[in-house]
Amino acid sequence: MKINGNTIKPGMVLQVNGGLWVVTKASHVKPGKGGAFANVEAKNLETGNKLNERFRSEDKVERVTLEQRDYSYLYDGGDTLVFMNDENYEQIELQKDWVGDDRIPYLQEGMKVVIESHEERPIGLSLPDQVTLEVVETEPTVKGQTASSSYKPAIANNGVRIMIPPYMGVGEKIVVDTTTGEYVRRAD
């Protein structure tokens, strides 16, 4: 779908120079002399490169709509991770380096994820905001210590190092933010 350059907003996905770009910033300028234009800052969805482009209001830009589908994480297949489409039970394999080393430890068997694709090609993967983990290693609990601003290091059952409150011990279930990797609260 073609749109005018003056209607570009942050969050839109555009096709420019054969690549897919997500708009991170867009400022619209209307100078006293000449036509209005938009200064657009965008990030390439595949390579991560940045683009600074100026679009005049009469310029036509291709806006892309990404398909979002729910998938379930099945298993680790060595160099790939296997996911299953929840609607038609088709399985897809995604390269581990594409998913990202920072997100792989949070994947749990059966976990629901959202995979964005463009023309049947995966572009992005979204994990749930929070995940429940179990503390498998930490310093012993100090009796009488309450929730203070000091945290102690711990290792969760997925191998990730997390700072937890000092009163928590091994075997406790905790909720962790998947984007920051920080402790959120004790699991119910």
Side-chain angles (χ1 to χ4, degrees):
M1 173 175 87
K2 295 265 189 197
I3 60 169
N4 287 340
N6 61 346
T7 59
I8 297 172
K9 294 181 178 75
M12 286 183 170
V13 178
L14 307 175
Q15 191 160 11
V16 180
N17 303 332
L20 293 176
W21 302 82
V22 63
V23 177
T24 53
K25 288 183 187 168
S27 60
H28 298 278
V29 181
K30 191 171 182 181
K33 196 174 187 180
F37 60 89
N39 278 327
V40 175
E41 199 172 288
K43 182 179 172 189
N44 190 304
L45 287 173
E46 288 143 359
T47 63
N49 294 342
K50 288 200 170 161
L51 168 80
N52 286 312
E53 193 77 41
R54 180 179 281 187
F55 295 101
R56 296 189 317 255
S57 57
E58 60 269 10
D59 287 345
K60 295 284 186 197
V61 184
E62 185 71 33
R63 182 174 180 193
V64 177
T65 306
L66 299 178
E67 288 181 45
Q68 294 187 334
R69 289 202 183 109
D70 291 332
Y71 282 81
S72 296
Y73 172 65
L74 295 180
Y75 60 90
D76 183 333
D79 293 339
T80 60
L81 300 168
V82 181
F83 297 87
M84 180 182 67
N85 186 324
D86 289 346
E87 294 166 18
N88 59 15
Y89 306 108
E90 280 182 18
Q91 292 183 7
I92 63 165
E93 292 186 24
L94 299 175
Q95 294 294 323
K96 282 187 175 180
D97 57 352
W98 184 85
V99 174
D101 291 338
D102 56 331
R103 300 189 318 187
I104 291 173
Y106 297 109
L107 287 171
Q108 298 171 350
E109 205 171 293
M111 176 185 274
K112 303 285 185 214
V113 298
V114 175
I115 296 179
E116 291 182 319
S117 57
H118 175 255
E119 296 175 352
E120 300 300 319
R121 196 174 85 226
I123 297 294
L125 179 131
S126 303
L127 295 175
D129 294 338
Q130 297 176 342
V131 65
T132 302
L133 301 173
E134 185 179 333
V135 176
V136 293
E137 186 182 312
T138 188
E139 298 166 5
T141 304
V142 177
K143 193 171 175 88
Q145 199 157 19
T146 59
S148 65
S149 59
S150 65
Y151 280 66
K152 65 181 180 181
I155 297 177
N157 59 343
N158 64 350
V160 174
R161 297 183 77 76
I162 299 166
M163 299 299 285
I164 62 171
Y167 59 85
M168 298 187 89
V170 173
E172 297 224 38
K173 300 243 186 251
I174 57 172
V175 175
V176 177
D177 188 308
T178 57
T179 52
T180 63
E182 294 176 355
Y183 167 86
V184 178
R185 61 183 162 78
R186 179 182 268 157
D188 300 330

